Amino acid sequence: MSKIKPSKGAPYARILGVGGYRPTRVVPNEVILETIDSSDEWIRSRSGIETRHWASDEETVAAMSIEASGKAIADAGISAEQIGGVIVSTVSHFKQTPAVATEIADKLGTNKAAAFDISAGCAGFGYGLTLAKGMIVEGSAEYVLVIGVERLSDLTDLEDRATAFLFGDGAGAVVVGPSQEPGIGPTVWGSEGDKSETIKQTVPWTDYRSGEVAKFPAITQEGQAVFRWAVFEMAKVAKEALDVAGVSAEDLDVFIPHQANERIIDSMVKTLKLPESVTVARDVRTTGNTSAASIPLAMERLLATGEAKSGDTALVIGFGAGLVYAATVVTLP
């Protein structure tokens, strides 16, 4: 018989607060057209993107995260000292070690919170949310900060017609804490590594360091393959997340998919047969694709504009490089 005492965590977990940070520089499509042969109409029709935000030198991954996190902590009505875990999802923090989460945890004023980074691309927020839920229910932390943050402008090839217009920068954060009723449903997540070549970094950092390539590494993708996968396969994942949460499309108030492409969003709404009453996040239009930051940023904007309200039931799904995905149903803070 085991001598280990059972964990004494909360019965459930939920999102208690959300915050976002968008860099001050707004970049319209006209700027992108300076380096690729395209048009504003083509970009809008293919992606829905009108503008995106690009970070300045001062708007680092850590700085943007701290701004977003401060808002989320205030929104949750707790203090930084109560945060027991900091999880940061990013692919654009260029120090291999230490994890940027440790710097963020310290500068926010947490009391030696557990802190670590994860790399799960555009599904990273969902991965972090799931880990945070586990920490709270297991009892290793009372409150966990989950941050999605990217400076994808650093990894954008402005001469690549397939991707130059897609990416933006920003940070979104949520505080996850204890609840007496379910606030975060079961997660449907996974990976399809056989499709890893469809979204990838052009070359390893070592090739650039050794001089084998002169061009700084960037993110590239096979657009049509990614589109087909997202539209057909991710709608199935979203439906499964609804099923395991015991929620129907008619029960939903809000749909917050990864803000990759508005055509993908429209296709998923149609495939899921979402009622017109469901509010659909379309933050991609003015923020672009911010990878791990896109879902919390879209969530924060919907709540700030009143398009969604506290207590609404929302389906969130992230998907991207790996290929990886994560979907769950949540109660909005």
Side-chain angles (χ1 to χ4, degrees):
M1 180 179 292
S2 174
K3 297 180 180 178
I4 300 172
K5 293 181 180 180
S7 299
K8 293 183 178 180
Y12 304 105
R14 67 164 292 171
I15 300 172
L16 300 175
V18 61
Y21 180 83
R22 293 171 173 82
T24 55
R25 183 187 177 193
V26 177
V27 180
N29 289 337
E30 285 73 20
V31 172
I32 307 299
L33 296 175
E34 294 174 4
T35 52
I36 61 171
D37 180 17
S38 187
S39 69
D40 177 62
E41 190 278 330
W42 187 90
I43 293 173
R44 291 181 188 231
S45 65
R46 294 302 180 96
S47 68
I49 298 172
E50 303 167 8
T51 61
R52 72 284 292 147
H53 296 255
W54 283 354
S56 65
D57 290 344
E58 291 75 27
E59 291 168 318
T60 63
V61 165
M64 292 191 293
S65 297
I66 290 166
E67 289 290 333
S69 298
K71 295 175 184 177
I73 292 168
D75 191 43
I78 65 169
S79 66
E81 291 85 355
Q82 293 174 272
I83 297 290
V86 177
I87 303 171
V88 178
S89 178
T90 185
V91 298
S92 47
H93 174 58
F94 291 154
K95 284 186 179 179
Q96 193 70 38
T97 192
V100 71
T102 59
E103 177 185 349
I104 295 166
D106 176 63
K107 289 186 176 178
L108 284 172
T110 69
N111 184 21
K112 300 181 180 179
F116 56 96
D117 298 351
I118 59 174
S119 176
C122 305
F125 176 75
Y127 275 52
L129 194 63
T130 304
L131 294 173
K133 172 186 172 182
M135 292 167 70
I136 290 159
V137 172
E138 186 247 0
S140 61
E142 185 176 12
Y143 299 99
V144 179
L145 184 64
V146 180
I147 303 165
V149 57
E150 301 292 2
R151 276 182 53 119
L152 293 181
S153 58
D154 291 334
L155 287 168
T156 299
D157 180 354
L158 292 178
E159 297 178 347
D160 181 354
R161 190 172 183 271
T163 61
F165 59 90
L166 286 176
F167 301 122
D169 303 337
V174 298
V175 172
V176 181
S179 175
Q180 293 302 307
E181 58 184 21
I184 301 172
T187 301
V188 178
W189 57 354
S191 65
E192 298 184 33
D194 60 315
K195 299 180 181 66
S196 61
E197 291 295 301
T198 56
I199 307 174
K200 64 179 182 179
Q201 184 171 304
T202 49
V203 296
W205 299 113
T206 47
D207 286 2
Y208 180 73
R209 183 185 64 184
S210 67
E212 290 183 44
V213 294
K215 200 168 189 177
F216 194 75
I219 297 173
T220 187
Q221 69 175 26
E222 298 173 15
Q224 288 302 315
V226 172
F227 183 88
R228 288 192 298 270
W229 176 77
V231 167
F232 296 109
E233 299 303 321
M234 291 305 98
K236 297 176 187 176
V237 171
K239 180 62 169 61
E240 187 178 350
L242 288 174
D243 290 343
V244 297
V247 175
S248 69
E250 290 71 27
D251 294 326
L252 276 183
D253 299 304
V254 185
F255 179 42
I256 311 177
H258 165 48
Q259 302 293 291
N261 180 305
E262 193 165 35
R263 289 172 63 207
I264 292 174
I265 295 171
D266 289 339
S267 294
M268 292 183 74
V269 168
K270 183 177 180 180
T271 302
L272 290 168
K273 299 179 180 179
L274 297 184
E276 290 186 9
S277 59
V278 175
T279 298
V280 179
R282 299 184 184 278
D283 197 43
V284 66
R285 294 173 179 171
T286 57
T287 307
N289 180 344
T290 56
S291 189
S294 78
I295 290 174
L297 277 174
M299 183 185 295
E300 185 258 357
R301 174 162 281 173
L302 289 176
L303 289 165
T305 59
E307 295 173 81
K309 63 183 184 300
S310 174
D312 278 353
T313 299
L315 169 63
V316 300
I317 179 170
F319 45 86
L323 294 171
V324 294
Y325 54 87
T328 187
V329 177
V330 303
T331 301
L332 294 183

